[in-house]
């Protein structure tokens, strides 16, 4: 695409709106971006390590890991931490929502309630703000993306994984992730990925789909998108430790049998996951706004109005019933009056009351 | 509600029969008496050779159970331990098998022979354990199975015309697989081991240990050991059954340093430094299963097979089985179970 030729505004036929994307871009950069990422998975699957690796920071500096006995009584908590990351003048306000306690209990039946309530609450709040009078500074705390961690030790999805994803796939963009991928050989990884994709399809779970590259994008980008799509679910390894490997310092994990490099695409999909998240942050937000939020909003408003309609219907019914009863009573009274009239006319002496009409 | 008089009487009787600390294993007492000096060679020591010949002729039973969530490498590990395809997954298992909705107990028997000694090995698998959304009481079918084997043995024992050699289906050893989260035990792990360590020898192992670096492994093991201790879980080898100082020193070292064993299993061979080794191939190196620098599989194998195999059987017979037997006899008023009908009733109470 040609750069906007705004240096010569006098060119005949030139309006100048081709400059709009640049203006939008500049405004966005000034405003900064907000992104909320939810992280869900059993304890010990490598979630915190991965988040720290993705954003090259330590989001959990004072972390205490509870023992098993403590976990017995614990319910699922929601913990949100926000960091402001700035890179080349672009500000990102990133909120990571953790869900400690998920999948740990012996009975996980109520595992998702807290999480689903949280997601709905953010939608509710946004809906409320959007419908309010002052809409200048709406804060968007809606969950734009959910990384769901699948255990690398299993043979595929667990019953809990299936149930949870089905419960939230209409509320949030799900990106399935397999962390601690260094526990799997390449063949095992392929097998596990395929098994998971098959099970996702089998159960009708809707995960986030990367949009296809536009036809006018360059070949590299198209190829990159193709590769990304083919690698889902991503098998990643996280680490912020610097290890010496092949003469240079890389982020990785040191084993007696070798070094696993986080940023080596032959070792794991970490770079792919990071690329996907960064290049599709905008799309993740859009899908949240246009699909999940709109779903929530229409459900919510329908539910709200349906309640009122139901009550009106009931009122009408009650009115009709009351009117019918009134008519019946009036008819009865008319009959009684008529009878009394006849008796009074037929016999003075009779005590008509003694006939004891049952009303 | 206040317990009735009959119940408290039973409880009192029970506590007499089954004291708080379990009895020491019944072993032949070391002969006491004057140490006579020998004038020549008699040949008493040949009894060892006679016992060995007998064992070789009759062979022996060994029953090992594996418990843990799906995918922790239980079947692969058992195959690696016995260097043969002995797990449930080797006898016509379909890789695409779904997780069963309840815990199943699947026992597969094989006869393996080495150096003239025959072992009838039974591997008892427990698919479905810990895999559901609601895992409450998922250990109950396992406890039931173990008690059923004790019951079977008891019935044979009390028969008037007993078999010369009672077939032993009792579980001698239960390998419990801990998920290598690197954090701590899971609530389910605690619950299972609390309940089952009272009826069977539990050996906790950390599965798929190639997911942890050396530091992570050491830290995790320490934390797990501490949690087991704090929660009063007596895994095998239990402290109370150490016979003498020699046992105690040896077992202390195992209990406090080696266990739980962090293992890796594999039934595939690769060429490393000119040798064929069992291992796992990854883009960053080959993990050798029997290399002590890589994982503790060799320690587990030596422990279960080469040094403590007989002891596992003895503790099962002399302690766990005796505890069960005492409770059963007491429930039956001190009499051994005889009539078929009563036995049926008792079995349903298990």
């Amino acid at each position: 695409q040609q750069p906007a030729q705004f240096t010569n505004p006098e060119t005949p036929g030139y309006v100048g709106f081709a400059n709009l994307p640049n203006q939008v871009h500049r405004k966005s950069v000034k405003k900064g971006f907000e992104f909320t990422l939810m992280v869900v998975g059993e304890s010990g699957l490598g979630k915190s390590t991965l988040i720290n690796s993705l954003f090259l920071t330590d989001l959990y500096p004072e972390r205490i890991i509870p023992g098993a006995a403590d976990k017995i009584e614990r319910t699922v908590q929601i913990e949100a931490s926000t960091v402001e990351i700035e890179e080349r003048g672009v500000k990102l306000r990133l909120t990571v929502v953790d869900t400690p306690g998920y999948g740990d209990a012996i009975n996980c039946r109520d595992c998702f309630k807290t999480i689903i309530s949280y997601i709905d609450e953010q939608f509710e709040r946004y809906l409320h703000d959007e419908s309010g009078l002052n809409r200048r500074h709406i804060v968007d705390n809606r969950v734009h993306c959910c990384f769901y961690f699948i255990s690398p030790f299993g043979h595929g999805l667990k019953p809990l994984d299936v149930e949870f994803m089905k419960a939230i796939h209409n509320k949030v963009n799900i990106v399935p992730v397999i962390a601690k991928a260094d526990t799997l050989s390449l063949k095992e990884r392929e097998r596990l990925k395929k098994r998971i994709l098959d099970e996702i399809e089998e159960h009708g779970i809707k995960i986030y789909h990367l949009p296809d590259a536009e036809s006018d994008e360059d070949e590299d980008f198209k190829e990159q998108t193709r590769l990304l799509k083919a690698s889902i679910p991503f098998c990643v390894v996280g680490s912020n430790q610097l290890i010496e490997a092949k003469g240079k310092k890389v982020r990785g994990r040191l084993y007696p049998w070798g070094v696993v490099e986080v940023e080596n695409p032959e070792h794991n999909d970490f770079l792919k996951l990071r690329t996907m998240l960064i290049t599709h942050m905008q799309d993740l937000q859009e899908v949240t706004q246009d699909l999940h939020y709109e779903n929530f909003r229409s459900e919510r408003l329908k539910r709200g109005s349906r309640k009122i309609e139901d009550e009106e219907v009931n009122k009408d019914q009650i009115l009709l019933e009351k009117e019918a009863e009134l008519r019946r009573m009036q008819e009865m009274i008319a009959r009684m009056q008529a009878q009394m009239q006849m008796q009074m006319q037929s016999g003075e002496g009779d005590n008509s009351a003694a006939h004891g009409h049952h009303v | 509600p206040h317990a009735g008089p009959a119940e408290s009487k039973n409880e009192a009787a029970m506590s007499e029969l089954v004291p708080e600390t379990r009895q020491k294993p019944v072993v032949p007492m070391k002969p006491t008496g004057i140490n006579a000096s020998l004038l020549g060679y008699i040949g008493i020591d040949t009894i060892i050779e006679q016992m060995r010949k007998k064992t070789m002729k009759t062979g022996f039973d060994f029953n090992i159970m594996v418990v843990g969530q799906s995918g922790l490498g239980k079947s692969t590990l058992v195959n690696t331990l016995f260097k043969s395809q002995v797990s449930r997954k080797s006898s016509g298992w379909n890789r695409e098998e779904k997780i069963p909705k309840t815990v199943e107990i699947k026992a597969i028997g094989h006869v393996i022979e080495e150096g003239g000694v025959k072992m009838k090995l039974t591997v008892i698998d427990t698919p479905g354990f810990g895999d559901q959304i609601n895992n409450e009481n998922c250990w109950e079918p396992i406890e039931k199975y173990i008690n059923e084997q004790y019951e079977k043995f008891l019935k044979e024992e009390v028969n008037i015309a007993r078999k010369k050699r009672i077939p032993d289906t009792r579980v001698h050893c239960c390998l419990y697989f801990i998920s290598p989260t690197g954090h701590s035990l899971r609530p389910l792990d605690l619950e299972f081991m609390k309940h089952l360590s009272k009826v069977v020898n539990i050996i906790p192992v950390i599965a798929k240990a190639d997911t942890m670096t050396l530091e992570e492994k050491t830290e995790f093991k320490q934390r797990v050991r501490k949690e087991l201790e704090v929660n009063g879980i007596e895994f095998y080898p239990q402290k109370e059954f150490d016979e003498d100082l020699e046992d105690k020193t040896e077992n202390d070292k195992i209990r406090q340093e080696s266990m739980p064993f962090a293992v890796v299993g594999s039934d595939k061979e690769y060429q490393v430094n000119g040798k064929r080794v069992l291992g796992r191939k990854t883009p960053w190196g080959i993990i050798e299963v029997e290399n002590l620098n890589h994982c503790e599989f060799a320690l587990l194998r030596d422990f279960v097979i080469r040094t403590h195999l007989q002891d596992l059987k003895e503790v099962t017979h002399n302690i766990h089985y005796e505890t069960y037997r005492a409770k059963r006899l007491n429930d039956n008023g001190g009499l051994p179970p005889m009539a078929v009908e009563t036995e049926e009733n008792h079995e349903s109470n298990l």
Side-chain angles (χ1 to χ4, degrees), chain B residues 268-325:
Chain B
K268 294 202 174 61
E269 283 187 338
Y270 295 97
Q271 194 92 349
V272 173
N273 295 335
K275 294 194 297 162
R276 302 277 308 164
V277 290
L278 281 174
R280 288 174 57 69
K281 185 149 184 238
T282 65
W284 43 88
I286 295 184
I287 304 162
E288 298 164 49
V289 166
E290 283 169 312
N291 181 340
L292 279 172
N293 290 325
H294 289 192
C295 79
E296 292 161 7
F297 169 78
L299 290 181
L300 173 70
R301 178 204 52 209
D302 291 349
F303 180 67
V304 172
I305 301 179
R306 297 182 190 176
T307 55
H308 286 69
L309 191 69
Q310 183 59 20
D311 189 58
L312 279 163
K313 289 173 55 130
E314 273 180 18
V315 173
T316 305
H317 180 67
N318 296 325
I319 311 284
H320 298 299
Y321 171 67
E322 284 300 314
T323 310
Y324 177 82
R325 179 174 170 279

Side-chain angles (χ1 to χ4, degrees), chain B residues 62-64 82 86 108-112 119-123:
Chain B
F62 190 65
N63 307 319
I64 184 168
F82 298 101
V86 289
I108 315 257
H110 290 265
V111 174
I112 51 185
M119 168 161 80
K120 178 160 172 298
L121 171 72
T122 304
V123 177

Side-chain angles (χ1 to χ4, degrees), chain B residues 58-180:
Chain B
T58 53
F60 63 98
D61 294 336
F62 190 65
N63 307 319
I64 184 168
M65 177 183 263
V66 287
V67 182
Q69 283 182 305
S70 161
L72 285 181
K74 305 186 287 294
S75 305
T76 307
L77 186 71
V78 167
N79 285 349
T80 317
L81 267 176
F82 298 101
K83 290 242 171 88
S84 20
Q85 304 289 316
V86 289
S87 70
R88 147 183 88 99
K89 301 213 171 162
S90 314
S91 1
W93 169 66
N94 174 19
R95 236 181 211 292
E96 303 303 312
E97 213 177 72
K98 301 252 176 219
I99 294 177
K101 291 269 159 75
T102 54
V103 179
E104 296 176 351
I105 312 278
K106 294 212 166 116
I108 315 257
H110 290 265
V111 174
I112 51 185
E113 186 176 330
E114 193 185 53
V117 181
K118 280 205 203 58
M119 168 161 80
K120 178 160 172 298
L121 171 72
T122 304
V123 177
I124 303 138
D125 206 341
T126 53
F129 175 84
D131 290 326
Q132 314 310 324
I133 295 181
N134 182 359
N135 290 309
E136 271 168 2
N137 303 325
C138 66
W139 54 83
E140 276 174 5
I142 298 174
E143 200 175 344
K144 182 159 170 281
Y145 176 85
I146 292 174
N147 285 333
E148 275 169 6
Q149 308 320 304
Y150 291 148
E151 183 68 26
K152 245 190 247 179
F153 197 87
L154 181 63
K155 276 201 262 189
E156 287 293 332
E157 237 191 10
V158 302
N159 255 334
I160 299 171
R162 285 203 293 214
K163 293 206 181 91
K164 179 173 163 197
R165 200 177 142 229
I166 303 178
D168 191 359
T169 57
R170 299 170 299 183
V171 180
H172 301 124
C173 166
C174 172
L175 292 184
Y176 185 78
F177 285 68
I178 296 170
S179 184

Side-chain angles (χ1 to χ4, degrees), chain A residues 240-254:
Chain A
N240 274 339
Q241 263 187 315
L242 287 170
I243 313 277
E244 184 90 31
K246 298 179 210 144
K248 45 186 186 117
K249 288 223 173 223
V250 287
R251 283 194 294 155
R253 290 172 61 72
L254 174 64

Side-chain angles (χ1 to χ4, degrees), chain B residues 198-211:
Chain B
K198 303 194 183 109
V199 297
V200 74
N201 294 323
I202 294 191
I203 297 180
V205 297
I206 298 173
K208 297 204 168 175
D210 55 349
T211 207

Side-chain angles (χ1 to χ4, degrees), chain A residues 109-245:
Chain A
R109 244 190 331 228
D110 295 330
C111 241
F112 0 128
K113 268 199 300 207
T114 321
I115 299 174
I116 294 181
S117 305
Y118 179 81
I119 298 174
D120 281 343
E121 265 165 38
Q122 308 317 306
F123 280 152
E124 185 75 47
R125 200 176 305 171
Y126 195 84
L127 179 63
H128 179 265
D129 289 349
E130 211 187 33
S131 329
L133 289 173
N134 185 355
R135 307 205 295 183
R136 274 192 127 223
H137 298 290
I138 301 181
V139 176
D140 186 4
N141 278 323
R142 297 172 296 183
V143 180
H144 301 116
C145 178
C146 172
F147 278 3
Y148 188 76
F149 282 71
I150 298 169
S151 172
F153 310 124
H155 293 299
L157 293 179
K158 295 203 191 142
L160 180 63
D161 301 335
V162 173
E163 289 312 306
F164 179 78
M165 287 200 276
K166 271 166 61 173
I168 65 161
H169 65 174
N170 284 323
K171 294 181 186 287
V172 75
N173 296 316
I174 301 178
V175 174
V177 177
I178 304 166
K180 294 199 175 183
D182 51 356
T183 208
L184 300 166
S185 69
L186 290 179
K187 225 196 285 180
E188 288 166 348
R189 257 185 237 178
E190 288 312 308
R191 207 188 301 144
L192 183 62
K193 282 191 190 185
K194 183 172 183 306
R195 180 86 183 258
I196 290 175
L197 286 174
D198 286 344
E199 287 175 339
I200 284 178
E201 196 184 313
E202 186 190 322
H203 288 103
I205 296 170
K206 297 179 227 166
I207 58 173
Y208 172 70
H209 283 296
L210 288 144
D212 287 318
E214 306 275 309
S215 47
D216 52 358
E217 300 275 5
D218 60 58
E219 269 311 306
D220 281 341
F221 187 76
K222 281 197 209 163
E223 181 59 27
Q224 184 192 72
T225 311
R226 254 197 299 269
L227 263 173
L228 285 181
K229 284 178 92 110
S231 306
I232 290 175
F234 297 114
C235 272
V236 296
V237 173
S239 172
N240 274 339
Q241 263 187 315
L242 287 170
I243 313 277
E244 184 90 31

